[in-house]
Amino acid sequence: MNGPVRMITDAQQNYSFSRRAMVLGGGQAALGLILAARMTWLSVYENDKYKLMAESNRVNLTLIPPRRGWIVDRHGVPIANNRTDFRVDIIPDRLEDKDRVLGALRGLLSLTAEDMERITKDLKGAAGFRPIQVAENLDWERYAAVSVRLPELPGVAPTRGFARNYPAGAAVGHLIGYVGTATQEQFKESKDPLLLTPGFKLGKDGVEKTMEDRLRGKPGAKRVEVTARGKLVRELATRPDEPGQTLRLTIDAGLQEFTARRLGNESGSVTVFDVTNGDILALVSMPSYDPNAFSDGISTTEWKMLSEDDHLPLMNKTFQGLYPPGSTFKPATALAILGAGVDPERVVYCNGGYQLGNRRFGCLGRHGPMTMHTAIARSCNTYFYTIGREIGIDPIAAAARKLGFGEEFDLPVPSQRYGTVPDTAWKRRRYKQDWTQADTLNASIGQGYVLVSPFQLALAAARIASSRALLPSLVIGDPRPPLRLDFPEEHLAIVRAGMDEVVNGRGTAGASRLPLDNIRMAGKTGTAQVRRIMDSNRGQGGEWKYRDHGLFICFAPVDNPRYAASVVIEHGMGGSRAAAPVAKDVLTWLFDRQKALDSLARFEAEWGGDIRTRMAAKEAAYRAANGLPPLAPSAAPTPEPAPSATPAAEPAR
């Protein structure tokens, strides 16, 4: 009985084992096929992907900041270029004995406690191969002092790069702006690793900011081999950067610098147009800041000095300053009067003011009988009060807008303020009140609610001079169609004749005639009251900030206009006193540069030197008054070679 049972059991066991072996073998074969297929997929079809991942673990890229494109004037003269920048970085992976090396660098480079704190913080979060900035914009002596001690300073990497340079300094501060390092917000928004690269800077203000895409260029890259832990093995290859495009402006660099210097110690603005095409030849706002200081990293002391200055050197007065235009608005009122059908020969008698109800609106004098021509020449308020009240505010506002007041223009500037050209609808919308006759009297002479920018004043003068609705241009190549100004030519001729009389006849700016043979300048003076008048001086004396503003608009030559300009001198107490003399010298420069420069030399001798000299003296006085040590002299920057004056040529790098 026992024998057969064992035989059946063995047979069953053998059968069961064979079946399990077959299942297991089949499973192993299937798994082998799957693994083989996966290996085939990885090694064949995804070879490029994993090869790239392996390569990225072995090779790292270090970006090289691109050189910014030059900004040149209409003649190819550099306004912003690049200079050689000596800098010192640390390669964390190569750094040995960190405390000793950092101590040596502190002595060699005169690093501050704040510098040392920043470097230590950056080193803690740095990748092994990524350079950490120690110092930039070094003079040759300090750069060389580090270079000759490299065997004693493992991990230290002196580098020659490029930094932004502005040859005219503060004369172009508000126009060109400056560059600086990217903020955390900018990096979070773009996620561009270039923004974290040591030495890279982008536009922060002015043309540098608005034209960033054209000026930036493309970064280069340096390939380095590293270990799995990030240890640097060797440098493999370097791809050079691609410089940004050259930007050619309509600005005349010589005129820009002369105009900034001619403003001297005044707080104000000058704008100059070429009336043949709308090109902007000068955009000056003074006092200003030196963009070289901002681009290199402005000190806390210098920033505090600028921000506390009551002349507002950080404000671009050309586009952001708003002023009552005063009598410089009268040409717009005159065109509205002519457009309403009023005879320009009509006589209005000026007895020193205009009575409206129980309120008297004063004039600048007792002018007697006035026509439009003499009213413009002698700036008679009574004439414009009388006829302005008759025609009402709406025609005056319409004429002002045709001249460019109250408008924002398509220009590469960070911001513009378009001011106020009031009318009946505006006041109802703004204040929920009806327009009054007193409002009309004030607006007709450029006071009351009327606010304009210095740039708009210059454009209005250019449009009157050219009889065209000129569209302003700041970049060469931007098309601007020549549109006819929507005023009859005979009306514009009457206004131009009155402005000619202002300077060359019995007008308010006779002392500012051009010192040139056969070239006359036409203009219009203006005095704008500061809203808050504190004492009996009535804006013509006393504390500086309560004095009236002085304004002047002009064009020349009278018989064939080529240039137009506006000058605004904050708290200058009058257009004929403060603004017209500046305009005279600026336009003289355009026709006889040497004569204008001779005049400037006499002024600067009285003022204490040119812009750089006066700014340095002012900072030295500020530091002394606040118990701060004097600044050490800085090395002169070394710019790249000058670009060609040929419009289409790229600058040499």
Side-chain angles (χ1 to χ4, degrees), residues 82-95:
N82 302 316
R83 61 177 171 81
T84 301
D85 173 32
F86 297 112
R87 57 183 293 115
V88 171
D89 297 329
I90 287 178
I91 308 299
D93 183 65
R94 294 180 175 179
L95 183 62

Side-chain angles (χ1 to χ4, degrees), residues 337 342-343 346 348 382-392:
I337 291 171
V342 177
D343 185 351
R346 174 182 167 182
V348 174
T382 302
Y383 177 91
F384 291 96
Y385 288 147
T386 302
I387 306 183
R389 180 187 176 190
E390 291 179 9
I391 67 172

Side-chain angles (χ1 to χ4, degrees), residues 252 255 258 272-273 281 516 563-565 585-593 596:
D252 185 315
L255 176 65
F258 173 85
V272 183
F273 273 97
L281 301 180
L516 304 169
Y563 306 109
D585 286 348
V586 169
L587 290 189
T588 297
W589 188 93
L590 288 164
F591 297 105
D592 189 333
R593 297 187 182 185

Side-chain angles (χ1 to χ4, degrees), residues 31-52:
L31 180 61
L33 288 173
I34 292 172
L35 291 175
R38 180 61 177 166
M39 291 177 64
T40 302
W41 173 264
L42 294 176
S43 61
V44 177
Y45 296 101
E46 292 199 343
N47 175 65
D48 292 340
K49 173 183 174 180
Y50 289 99
K51 183 178 180 181
L52 181 62

Side-chain angles (χ1 to χ4, degrees), residues 528-530 532 538-549 570-573:
Q529 291 182 345
V530 176
R532 189 181 179 194
R538 304 299 295 173
Q540 293 299 301
E543 192 174 354
W544 177 79
K545 65 181 179 179
Y546 297 127
R547 299 174 186 172
D548 291 343
H549 301 311
E570 291 186 327
H571 313 294
M573 296 187 293

